[in-house]
Amino acid sequence: LVASVYFSVGLVGYYGWGNDVAGNVLDSMVNPDGTKMLAGRALALAVMANLFVTYPIIMSCVSLAAESYCGGKYNATLRIILLAITAAIAMFCPSFLAILTLQASTVCTMSMTLIPLGVFWKLALSSGKKPSRVTAAKHLLIVIIALMAVAVGTWQSIEEMVEAFGNPCMNPFSHFMQPMMSCKQGTNWCTC
């Protein structure tokens, strides 16, 4: 079901923009006169709504893991520090989208497909209930598609990172604390 939703949305996007779609689809959602489409604004709001829901859940998991190393009790100071670190990385890393794309193409794909299938098979085999051949064939197909997605996504992400880091001002390892919009070349430090 989830794959069919993503596939259908991808087809609609490809139909609308073809190979000219920007890495951030919101950058492609503009009218011929250059103004933002209403659908683009709605999608931006949907992304923000998604982040308002998922970010606290993810940060709760990260905070609980960090707190387990610090005595296992609720620690508001630690949670604020973790929040500040993630916000600083998102705001001040000039190539954040390229780095996030690499993370999404590897970790997210594996955590949403390969790990659940591995857990399913571990539980099924340890309980003595062998899944049917049809289930095994479905899972094999999912694993093949997931591995292809990891390979293609990782390759494209690395290409995007190489392109982004080709601009010396966009290399987050040399200019981490400067949010980049445009840089003046010829100096040892970017001015944006």
Side-chain angles (χ1 to χ4, degrees):
L1 177 64
V2 173
S4 63
V5 169
Y6 277 103
F7 187 72
S8 61
V9 169
L11 282 178
V12 170
Y14 187 75
Y15 174 77
W17 292 284
N19 289 333
D20 295 330
V21 69
N24 182 350
V25 72
L26 296 175
D27 292 338
S28 297
M29 298 182 83
V30 291
N31 293 316
D33 64 353
T35 60
K36 298 283 185 187
M37 291 178 158
L38 182 59
R41 293 177 191 269
L43 183 59
L45 289 173
V47 169
M48 288 174 49
N50 181 22
L51 289 174
F52 282 131
V53 173
T54 57
Y55 182 75
I57 294 169
I58 292 170
M59 285 308 296
S60 177
C61 295
V62 170
S63 297
L64 287 172
E67 287 169 347
S68 71
Y69 287 107
C70 298
K73 294 183 180 178
Y74 178 82
N75 187 336
T77 305
L78 178 65
R79 289 176 179 246
I80 291 170
I81 290 169
L82 289 171
L83 175 69
I85 289 171
T86 59
I89 289 171
M91 291 188 313
F92 297 118
C93 184
S95 299
F96 181 71
L97 184 60
I99 294 169
L100 184 65
T101 304
L102 178 63
Q103 182 268 339
S105 64
T106 54
V107 176
C108 291
T109 305
M110 289 188 282
S111 66
M112 288 189 275
T113 55
L114 300 177
I115 292 173
L117 286 176
V119 170
F120 171 85
W121 281 94
K122 172 66 176 162
L123 291 173
L125 295 176
S126 65
S127 69
K129 296 179 181 177
K130 188 175 178 184
S132 69
R133 289 182 187 259
V134 173
T135 300
K138 286 181 194 176
H139 289 184
L140 179 62
L141 180 63
I142 291 170
V143 166
I144 291 169
I145 292 170
L147 290 174
M148 287 173 35
V150 167
V152 170
T154 302
W155 181 264
Q156 289 178 342
S157 299
I158 290 172
E159 284 180 340
E160 287 179 22
M161 285 179 65
V162 167
E163 181 181 332
F165 294 174
N167 178 349
C169 290
M170 295 301 284
N171 187 334
F173 302 107
S174 59
H175 298 288
F176 180 75
M177 292 303 292
Q178 294 182 344
M180 302 293 154
M181 297 302 168
S182 63
C183 294
K184 296 178 183 174
Q185 298 292 335
T187 63
N188 291 333
W189 195 255
C190 291
T191 307
C192 300

